[in-house]
Amino acid sequence: MSSIRPLIPLLITAGILLGGNGLQSTLLALRGAQEGFAASTIGLIGTAYFGGFLLGCIFITRIMKAVGHVRAFAALAAIAASATLTLVLVIDPLTWSAIRFTTGFCFAGLFTVMESWLNSGASNNDRARLLAIYRIIDIGSVTGAQFMIPIFGAGGFTIFAIMSIMITLSLVPVSIADRSNPTPPEDVRLDLRRAWRISPLGSIGCIFVGITNSAFRTMSPIYAEQIGMSVTDVVTFVSVGIIGGAMIQYPLGYLSDLWDRRRVLLVATTGALASALMLVFMAGTSPIANFVLVFIFGSFAMPLYSLSAAHANDRAEKGEFVLVNAALMLFYSVGAIAGPFIASLFMESYGPHSLFAFSAAVYVIFIAVIVYRMGVRSPVPAGHRSRFFGLLRTSPIFARFAGRSSNGDDSGDA
């Protein structure tokens, strides 16, 4: 534990950034609805964020090499904090889209800098413990920050000022607590074609999960608001779905270590499909029914990315861990760019419950792909499967950060 202590300031920074980023997504959906933005407009704003995030993942290492960790982090945090205040100063859909594209780029860079720093400071012995702490911080910060919205309200200036303050304060631990400023990481090699050849199912799965999970994360506040929930119920609805995924992910992962992962992936996707259909046909406008069913939905839908990635990693050669997971995150980001806008078009045409009807349709296609791939390729032998772990989709560096603890070799540095 003593070796983790110097990394505590970075973990505090992580909590602030993760919470602020999660808060911003829910808040803008609610505030956009209050300002009269159509569902498709809010979906387009969500798509802009993921577009910026994708570019940020690709270009951030060049910035880090040019100016170092501290300066890169400071510049990106300053831009993100200023952009957050601009959101409330200029309430216009096109302006918000441009700002969300910018903040997507910035947050991709901020998470990459932070996770690169954690990766350089973590010893192999403490890496698994550090990952567990990071995961707890992620869930706690994202869900806890949501409840600032009912406290301070989605209207007015205050909540936007608080978000800007959170981003600005993330600079403090980084600036004064660690003077190491480690060597910038090598560029993460992106070979999408190689990743696809290694595991078509894992690649397709990450694209489909990107479509559905980004649609849920962006448009679920609009769904909850349109069926008549209060602001407190809206943030509870979003949080319950996230918590469900966090609680069930590792039991599903444990089963996937024992069985053919594709069987577990099929079970989880079928569960996501069934719960999505229940939200369409059974939830109605009851808050309690929606809370219960979205918990079940999140339990099956949120772990699909990590299960898809684990299956792809089982097929990879030694030393390809980082390459595969960086490619999978980009596949996810491509799906995430499409998901919010397509889902919003369905919601605008067919009502709020079509958010989950859209997700159900994607899951049907994914189930067909899983069944087909199970028929044309034999399962990975149990002795060749790597141990499951939950992947965060915060930056390509996370795969390097997690690599040694999952594989027990140097593949995290590849």
Side-chain angles (χ1 to χ4, degrees), residues 4 123-133 387 405-406:
I4 293 180
S123 68
N124 287 344
N125 291 334
D126 289 324
R127 197 172 290 265
R129 186 183 299 113
L130 186 61
L131 282 167
I133 294 171
R387 183 166 57 86
S405 67
S406 62

Side-chain angles (χ1 to χ4, degrees), residues 187-191 319-320 322-323 326-327 400:
D187 288 327
V188 175
R189 186 160 58 97
L190 295 176
D191 191 341
E320 291 184 318
V322 172
L323 179 150
R400 185 174 292 163

Side-chain angles (χ1 to χ4, degrees), residues 297-320:
F297 174 79
S299 298
F300 289 112
M302 300 302 160
L304 290 177
Y305 177 82
S306 292
L307 289 170
S308 298
H311 173 68
N313 286 321
D314 289 342
R315 298 286 185 184
E317 300 293 333
K318 184 176 180 179
E320 291 184 318

Side-chain angles (χ1 to χ4, degrees), residues 213 216 237-249 252 268 271-272 275-276 279 291-304 356 363:
N213 282 9
F216 173 79
F237 180 81
V238 174
S239 299
V240 165
I242 297 171
I243 292 170
M247 290 180 62
I248 307 301
Q249 177 167 244
L252 286 174
S275 54
L279 280 160
F291 294 160
V292 171
L293 291 175
V294 82
F295 179 87
I296 299 171
F297 174 79
S299 298
F300 289 112
M302 300 302 160
L304 290 177
F356 294 102
Y363 293 137

